[in-house]
Amino acid sequence: MSSRPFVKIPVYLATLAALVLVTWYLLNGNSEKPATQVRLMTFNIRFDNPGDGINAWPKRVDMVTGIMQDYPCDFIGLQEVLPNQMQDISGRLPQYNSIFRTREISPEEGEASPILYDHSKWLLLDSGTFWLSDTPYEPGSNTWEAACNRIATWGRFRNKEDKKTIFILNTHFDHVSQKARENSMQLILEKVFSLSEGSPVVFMGDLNVEEDNLVYDLTINEGNFTDTYRAVHPEVSVRDLTFNGWLQGEGISRIDYIFTSAEFTIKNARVIKTMMLNRYPSDHFPVMVEAEF
């Protein structure tokens, strides 16, 4: 009589299945998800000011939206956007949904700093707007000697394909008060920590400061953000300049930025200085970045 132990077939099959699962996990379960590609833009489009003459909004709306069509992005942070301008943009760019709230008490009045997002790729999980003041959830509040009410608009998104999340914040700092700009940066650093819920962070906008300003230093050192453009172009050049004041040429100053948290790898960055009909679309150049996380 054979001395080999008797193994029931069901037990054998269960053991084999377990070995297959363990092998698959060892080969695949610990592997990281492929990097998610993301294209970002910040663009101060200049508010609809009838006094701008040849550069008034009706004469350049197609130029502004043309830039966004020529350089499609996952997320676009705009500044100085009045409600009628947002309507014009949404009508011409149906591929984007938006997070939009003006900075005044009434949401029907004043400028906004909206976020446009490609709704075919990204699902909006949560969003909001807060005021850059001591009372950030009081609409229209201004407590830091700023010339204007100022806001930050944010959204947290999930990629529809790989389910990764990302946090986007867009803002426009005051153009007069350094106190307001510094306090605004400190407030944003606090809010990003709580609102992002651990997601990789993109912080963009018109900060109305150059690189030698304390606000920039706070962003890089205290906030531990990467200046995406400078990561690709470490040497200072006239090609860096983002504010043009409607003057033809390379520009006047660098005040528009896209910053990212440590999870991102920056692949490319550029300031778009396209002219149309011998004019610029805005008194600011858009900045575009390609990154992955």
Side-chain angles (χ1 to χ4, degrees):
M1 183 175 181
S2 173
S3 60
R4 292 168 56 191
F6 177 71
V7 179
K8 293 182 178 179
I9 295 300
V11 175
Y12 171 79
L13 292 177
T15 303
L16 180 61
L19 289 172
V20 170
L21 288 173
V22 169
T23 302
W24 180 91
Y25 179 79
L26 291 174
L27 293 174
N28 301 286
N30 288 329
S31 61
E32 295 183 0
K33 292 182 178 179
T36 300
Q37 311 297 317
V38 62
R39 286 162 61 102
L40 310 161
M41 180 184 290
T42 182
F43 191 6
N44 183 325
I45 66 168
R46 173 70 174 177
F47 73 100
D48 181 1
N49 179 11
D52 282 342
I54 194 173
N55 293 313
W57 176 248
K59 298 179 180 179
R60 58 187 181 84
V61 55
D62 290 330
M63 297 165 65
V64 168
T65 55
I67 288 288
M68 291 184 274
Q69 289 171 331
D70 290 343
Y71 299 92
C73 291
D74 295 80
F75 301 98
I76 303 175
L78 302 177
Q79 299 88 38
E80 294 194 21
V81 185
L82 296 175
N84 68 294
Q85 291 177 290
M86 190 70 251
Q87 292 176 2
D88 291 340
I89 292 169
S90 297
R92 288 167 169 80
L93 301 174
Q95 67 269 39
Y96 294 106
N97 285 347
S98 64
I99 306 169
F100 182 90
R101 173 57 164 100
T102 68
R103 66 192 187 186
E104 304 302 332
I105 295 175
S106 169
E108 307 299 321
E109 301 175 355
E111 297 177 15
S113 297
I115 297 171
L116 277 58
Y117 63 96
D118 184 341
H119 57 78
S120 70
K121 298 180 181 179
W122 298 92
L123 174 67
L124 178 63
L125 301 176
D126 197 5
S127 65
T129 295
F130 58 87
W131 276 255
L132 304 181
S133 74
D134 284 329
T135 52
Y137 294 108
E138 178 184 339
S141 57
N142 180 347
T143 59
W144 296 329
E145 303 170 6
C148 307
N149 307 334
R150 298 289 180 174
I151 56 174
T153 300
W154 61 271
R156 195 170 66 256
F157 304 86
R158 176 182 293 129
N159 186 282
K160 291 184 176 181
E161 184 175 341
D162 63 20
K163 310 306 179 185
K164 289 184 183 179
T165 60
I166 189 172
F167 180 84
I168 309 289
L169 187 144
N170 177 42
T171 192
H172 187 187
F173 284 0
D174 196 64
H175 63 296
V176 172
S177 171
Q178 175 67 10
K179 176 182 178 181
R181 292 189 289 262
E182 292 177 15
N183 287 348
S184 295
M185 190 64 245
Q186 292 285 7
L187 177 64
I188 283 174
L189 292 179
E190 295 171 10
K191 293 296 183 183
V192 162
F193 180 79
S194 60
L195 295 172
S196 65
E197 297 188 359
S199 298
V201 174
V202 175
F203 163 48
M204 66 174 84
D206 174 359
L207 302 192
N208 271 311
V209 300
E210 297 190 67
E211 292 176 64
D212 59 355
N213 193 283
L214 178 59
V215 171
Y216 182 90
D217 185 69
L218 288 171
T219 308
I220 299 299
N221 295 314
E222 187 169 331
N224 197 31
F225 282 105
T226 297
D227 177 347
T228 57
Y229 182 87
R230 191 57 71 211
V232 177
H233 307 285
E235 295 184 7
V236 176
S237 165
V238 292
R239 67 183 178 183
D240 310 340
L241 305 178
T242 64
F243 174 67
N244 62 64
W246 300 120
L247 301 176
Q248 295 188 16
E250 290 289 348
I252 299 169
S253 58
R254 181 176 187 236
I255 59 176
D256 303 271
Y257 302 91
I258 299 176
F259 298 99
T260 55
S261 56
E263 295 90 341
F264 290 86
T265 300
I266 312 306
K267 310 300 288 186
N268 197 12
R270 63 175 296 185
V271 180
I272 300 170
K273 300 189 176 182
T274 303
M275 296 189 75
M276 302 176 184
L277 303 175
N278 204 35
R279 306 197 313 275
Y280 291 128
S282 175
D283 60 346
H284 288 243
F285 298 123
V287 180
M288 191 185 78
V289 167
E290 297 176 14
E292 61 182 29
F293 68 100

